Amino acid sequence: MPEQLAIEGGRPVRDRMLPYGRQTIDEADIAAVVKVLRSDWLTTGPQVEAFEQAFARRVGAEHAVAVNSGTAALAAAYHALNLRPDDEVIVPAITFASTANAVIQIGANPVIVDVAPDTLLIDSQSIEARITPRTRAIVAVDYAGQPCDYEDLRVVADRHGLMVVSDACHALGATWRGKSVGCLTPLTVFSFHPVKVITTGEGGMVTTSDSALAERMRAFRNHCITADFRERASRGSWEYTIDELGGNYRLSDMQCALGLSQLGKLDDFVARRRAVAARYDELIADVPGVAPLMVQPEVGHAYHLYVVRLEVERLTADRRAIFAALRAEGVGVNVHYLPVHLHQLYRERYGTKPGDCPDAEAAYERILSLPIFPGMSDADATDTVTALAKVLRRYQR
Ligand SMILES: *Cc1c(COP(=O)(O)O)cnc(C)c1O
């Protein structure tokens, strides 16, 4: 007789819910923020530059531009490309929707393409099939923290004269062929939301080694004002003009101080994420009906997410039921993500529909993100797999 599930009135594996992700903040982080609060500069001050410079150095890029969210960072990167209203940007179906939404926000059109079924990373054949004379850029999303095959993407991009932007919101600290994510493409985008690899509360960054692109992004975060206030002050002038549409996307000095403090712990955070993932890999190998996504060789994974795929054909319950049963056991599983083209916004605006990206849609029915964050204990990881094994045993065909 299988053990009774919590969802059916049995005893849960955990009494307190294990979240799927959460920040790690220590006393040094707190002190760094408090110090800024006692200083002269709360925004556009020395902490912004200090964070940007340390970040650029860490990922091996010439420039880093701090903005107030990952979504703003995407918009800044797309703005830097000087897109015209009919231009198209290719985006994978499996990503947080803002990868595509930010293309619309800056006035161009996203084109959603399918992903590779084993990794859920953008698929180069699907890209080629959707390139038109209006295509300007490809966005590579390092889903879950696994870098895309940037050699493969460069070949496709070069053949068609396209830019590559990486959405590395999951992948700070990851490497590809020994090189850091952040210097692999002309523009790389990061997020500092609390569940991401490091946090500033809200925040984002774009790295580039092209100073013209960096300048365009610095202008964009400050309303595309043509001269910054220091230049104006040094010229003794109040004058400036606005030639393009930007906004206020600035990251405050309190947030940058927190980011700088967090950046110092990046290696430890990623090492701990990898240790939790290794434990999951080992324990899940013994659980029938479930397998992790494939990790490519030559990749140093950042494990923002640990995603498993359920073999739903071998189960009597669907993913929705498994999800609910695991939550009842006290394990905060999640699903990343509903494929972008299935959101109502895209269906209405672009006429997208089920069937457009079959591999992304098939994956969506099967995936679960297990809890993973640096503050998690080995016992927490064991609880997750105990609950997974208990639930899947109950629903084995
Ligand atoms: C988190 C995330 C974003 C958006 O970042 P925010 O800081 O929440 O605006 C964009 N793309 C991906 C892949 C993300 O995970």
Side-chain angles (χ1 to χ4, degrees):
M1 248 318 266
E3 208 180 336
Q4 195 176 26
L5 300 186
I7 204 167
E8 297 169 329
R11 209 185 126 66
V13 170
R14 292 177 64 93
D15 296 324
R16 280 189 57 212
M17 179 75 89
L18 179 65
Y20 93 87
R22 68 158 287 149
Q23 70 274 17
T24 303
I25 298 289
D26 66 12
E27 289 305 317
D29 292 328
I30 293 166
V33 175
V34 171
K35 196 169 163 205
V36 174
L37 288 169
R38 298 189 201 284
S39 78
D40 290 339
W41 298 91
L42 299 188
T43 191
T44 323
Q47 293 298 317
V48 181
E49 244 165 79
F51 182 36
E52 288 179 339
Q53 285 177 9
F55 196 94
R57 210 176 313 123
R58 178 62 175 73
V59 303
E62 293 286 321
H63 310 277
V65 179
V67 291
N68 55 20
S69 71
T71 305
L74 286 162
Y78 300 152
H79 169 83
L81 297 178
N82 236 323
L83 302 177
R84 290 175 307 262
D86 279 338
D87 284 346
E88 294 174 354
V89 175
I90 291 179
V91 174
I94 298 283
T95 184
F96 184 55
S98 78
T99 313
N101 294 351
V103 176
I104 304 175
Q105 277 160 352
I106 62 112
N109 292 315
V111 172
I112 313 301
V113 306
D114 213 349
V115 293
D118 47 358
T119 58
L120 309 190
L121 299 176
I122 195 164
D123 174 58
S124 50
Q125 276 181 337
S126 306
I127 294 171
E128 297 254 19
R130 300 297 302 279
I131 289 173
T132 75
R134 291 183 298 277
T135 310
R136 297 287 309 283
I138 301 165
V139 187
V141 175
D142 297 333
Y143 177 72
Q146 168 163 220
C148 296
D149 183 342
Y150 283 103
E151 177 61 25
D152 195 28
L153 288 169
R154 196 183 54 76
V155 169
V156 177
D158 285 355
R159 188 181 307 141
H160 299 277
L162 307 177
M163 285 288 272
V164 179
V165 176
S166 343
D167 180 341
C169 287
H170 296 181
L172 176 58
T175 59
W176 179 79
R177 296 193 182 166
K179 288 172 88 177
S180 290
V181 163
C183 70
L184 300 168
T185 57
L187 291 157
T188 308
V189 172
F190 299 93
S191 164
F192 308 130
H193 181 275
V195 297
K196 303 291 166 71
V197 182
I198 68 169
T199 191
T200 60
E202 298 284 358
M205 190 77 86
V206 190
T207 57
T208 182
S209 290
D210 181 320
S211 41
L213 294 177
E215 264 329 292
R216 280 187 64 75
M217 296 189 288
R218 285 186 207 287
F220 180 76
R221 74 173 164 191
N222 194 34
H223 311 284
C224 292
I225 286 174
T226 50
D228 88 357
F229 74 97
R230 286 190 200 81
E231 265 180 67
R232 288 204 299 282
S234 72
R235 284 188 286 121
S237 165
W238 68 87
E239 287 171 288
Y240 61 83
T241 69
I242 289 175
D243 301 338
E244 289 179 85
L245 187 62
N248 174 0
Y249 303 115
R250 298 184 302 262
L251 194 62
S252 74
D253 277 58
M254 288 87 79
Q255 291 168 298
C256 287
L258 177 55
L260 192 55
S261 179
Q262 289 262 302
L263 190 63
K265 289 169 281 206
L266 173 59
D267 290 337
D268 293 342
F269 289 166
V270 172
R272 183 62 199 148
R273 286 180 178 276
R274 287 178 181 162
V276 172
R279 193 172 176 81
Y280 276 153
D281 284 345
E282 193 185 319
L283 297 174
I284 283 170
D286 297 330
V287 181
V290 63
L293 293 183
M294 195 189 89
V295 179
Q296 298 163 289
E298 305 187 292
V299 152
H301 206 305
Y303 283 109
H304 162 58
L305 301 175
Y306 188 94
V307 178
V308 295
R309 202 184 336 235
L310 299 171
E311 292 166 17
V312 288
E313 296 76 7
R314 294 173 60 177
L315 301 168
T316 59
D318 62 7
R319 194 270 316 277
R320 190 171 296 276
I322 305 282
F323 178 96
L326 283 166
R327 283 285 181 105
E329 299 295 339
V331 175
V333 287
N334 217 314
V335 175
H336 301 95
Y337 301 88
L338 176 70
V340 176
H341 67 286
L342 298 182
H343 284 287
Q344 201 55 31
L345 169 66
Y346 288 83
R347 294 183 190 223
E348 283 175 13
R349 206 176 167 108
Y350 296 108
T352 55
K353 58 192 181 310
D356 288 354
C357 299
D359 288 326
E361 292 163 30
Y364 173 66
E365 298 299 327
R366 292 163 173 75
I367 49 177
L368 277 179
S369 302
L370 305 185
I372 190 166
F373 55 95
M376 229 175 104
S377 68
D378 289 353
D380 291 334
T382 304
D383 282 352
T384 298
V385 181
T386 301
L388 191 60
K390 177 181 171 186
V391 168
L392 294 184
R393 213 180 300 124
R394 167 72 178 73
Y395 294 120
Q396 216 59 232
R397 216 177 255 294

